[in-house]
Amino acid sequence: MEPGNITRISKFLLLGFSVRPELQPLIFGLFLSMYLITVFGNLLIILAVSSDSRLHTPMYFFLANLSFVDICFTSTTVPKMLVNIQTQSNIITHEDCITQMNFFIIFSGLDIYLLAVMAYDRFVAICHPLHYKVIMNPRLCGLLVLVSWITSILHSLLQTSMVLQLSFCTEVEIPHFFCELNQLIQLACSDTFLNNLVMYLAAMLLAGGPLAGILYSYSKIVSTIIGISSAQGKYKAFSTCVSHLLVVSLFFCTSLGVYLSSAATQSSHSSATASVMYTVVTPMLNPFIYSLRNKDLKVVLKRIIGISLT
């Protein structure tokens, strides 16, 4: 095949949920419901944090940022999938595919970094409570979020620029419901050694690093809680980080489970189905986890919901 016929690919086909036509309305309704719950729930968290001065603390500042990122994270994949189901077309243009991949990398990375930042916040609050306000000052909080954004954007630009250098043959069917970096690299006809090398190195550094930081923070938190003499003190200290620990466990266990299972089975369709857990389900559950385990947040949310209903 001549080079000109290899590189001029104008569209891809997303085949992640190419099931029987009679099931498409059910899938559409299910994902539309989950998407609306995700957006509404996370918007409530942002509104609650911004509207009540009692929640103007580092922990809630990071939570509001996480809620915003979760909305964007889900919005990069679900709306396009819903449009494809409604129009009965799996086509996505080359430009839209690269754009979707770019934003997916940005917001998935931000999810990881913000979870690591929140773990550090809980570490300082429990292990160094007397210095908490001094260490977690507004300047540092803003800087941590800014660095997370910059790192995610630079990483995304690196991966996107490398994908743009790849040549694609006539096989342009993506067995996924969104344009994922790994799937695009597998479809390329040109040499992908450098792309795979950079992808795995970035995963080790930019995902493994924050995960190691989270594990270190919680090892120190657990050792500090064990050293507290009273049972009430232990419960109070643990209750301040249990919501974050649940979210971290849900996100990392589902995402790691997806990639480990896909590597073991080599089934892209099963990987697409499993990917729903960390791309859709986890962002949807985050607001419930934080609100149900947090008295201050529940009070503000009840007041906001009460006002909106009156």
Side-chain angles (χ1 to χ4, degrees):
M1 186 178 292
E2 296 180 2
N5 294 329
I6 295 177
T7 57
R8 292 177 182 175
I9 296 298
S10 61
K11 62 184 180 181
F12 295 95
L13 297 177
L14 296 172
L15 305 179
F17 293 105
S18 56
V19 295
R20 292 175 298 180
E22 60 269 21
L23 293 180
Q24 293 294 338
L26 176 63
I27 294 175
F28 180 85
L30 178 63
F31 276 90
L32 178 61
S33 301
M34 290 193 294
Y35 179 67
L36 292 177
I37 292 171
T38 300
V39 173
F40 181 70
N42 283 288
L43 280 177
L44 276 180
I45 296 292
I46 296 172
L47 181 60
V49 173
S50 60
S51 64
D52 196 297
S53 58
R54 292 173 297 179
L55 302 182
H56 293 173
T57 62
M59 179 178 71
Y60 293 111
F61 171 71
F62 296 134
L63 176 58
N65 278 274
L66 181 66
S67 295
F68 172 76
V69 169
D70 279 341
I71 293 174
C72 297
F73 184 41
T74 307
S75 298
T76 59
T77 57
V78 177
K80 176 59 180 175
M81 185 187 67
L82 293 176
V83 170
N84 286 352
I85 294 175
Q86 189 67 19
T87 60
Q88 297 182 351
S89 172
N90 294 327
I91 294 175
I92 183 171
T93 65
H94 180 271
E95 293 78 9
D96 289 344
C97 189
I98 297 299
T99 301
Q100 186 183 62
M101 183 201 71
N102 178 62
F103 282 107
F104 182 83
I105 295 173
I106 290 175
F107 294 119
S108 60
L110 276 168
D111 247 339
I112 296 172
Y113 304 144
L114 287 175
L115 289 175
V117 168
M118 294 172 77
Y120 175 71
D121 173 73
R122 293 299 84 204
F123 161 73
V124 177
I126 294 175
C127 299
H128 305 283
L130 298 179
H131 301 94
Y132 178 74
K133 290 185 177 181
V134 177
I135 297 174
M136 300 304 297
N137 56 76
R139 182 178 180 182
L140 177 63
C141 294
L143 183 62
L144 289 172
V145 172
L146 179 61
V147 170
S148 298
W149 274 94
I150 293 174
T151 305
S152 295
I153 292 173
L154 291 177
H155 172 228
S156 179
L157 289 176
L158 172 63
Q159 298 288 5
T160 302
S161 63
M162 295 187 67
V163 170
L164 287 173
Q165 303 302 316
L166 296 176
S167 300
F168 294 96
C169 302
T170 54
E171 181 65 37
V172 291
E173 293 183 348
I174 302 176
H176 220 297
F177 67 95
F178 65 94
C179 292
E180 189 188 31
L181 174 63
N182 186 44
Q183 296 291 335
L184 287 177
I185 293 176
Q186 290 180 12
L187 285 176
C189 292
S190 53
D191 183 27
T192 60
F193 173 77
L194 187 58
N195 294 78
N196 283 305
L197 179 63
V198 172
M199 181 177 64
Y200 288 118
L201 284 177
M204 291 174 58
L205 295 174
L206 302 180
L211 179 59
I214 292 172
L215 294 176
Y216 175 79
S217 295
Y218 274 102
S219 67
K220 292 295 184 181
I221 289 172
V222 169
S223 63
T224 300
I225 291 176
I226 292 175
I228 298 175
S229 56
S230 66
Q232 184 178 1
K234 290 181 179 179
Y235 175 78
K236 185 177 180 180
F238 181 73
S239 63
T240 62
C241 60
V242 65
S243 297
H244 176 257
L245 189 57
L246 287 173
V247 171
V248 167
S249 302
L250 185 62
F251 180 83
F252 278 100
C253 288
T254 53
S255 57
L256 287 174
V258 166
Y259 287 103
L260 290 177
S261 62
S262 63
T265 62
Q266 297 296 320
S267 174
S268 298
H269 287 283
S270 62
S271 175
T273 304
S275 296
V276 174
M277 285 301 298
Y278 77 94
T279 58
V280 182
V281 176
T282 300
M284 180 184 68
L285 293 179
N286 286 356
F288 295 99
I289 294 174
Y290 277 106
S291 59
L292 291 176
R293 297 288 310 181
N294 192 296
K295 293 181 180 179
D296 293 334
L297 194 56
K298 280 196 290 187
V299 170
V300 179
L301 288 174
K302 286 179 180 178
R303 176 173 58 81
I304 292 174
I305 295 174
I307 291 175
S308 62
L309 293 177
T310 57

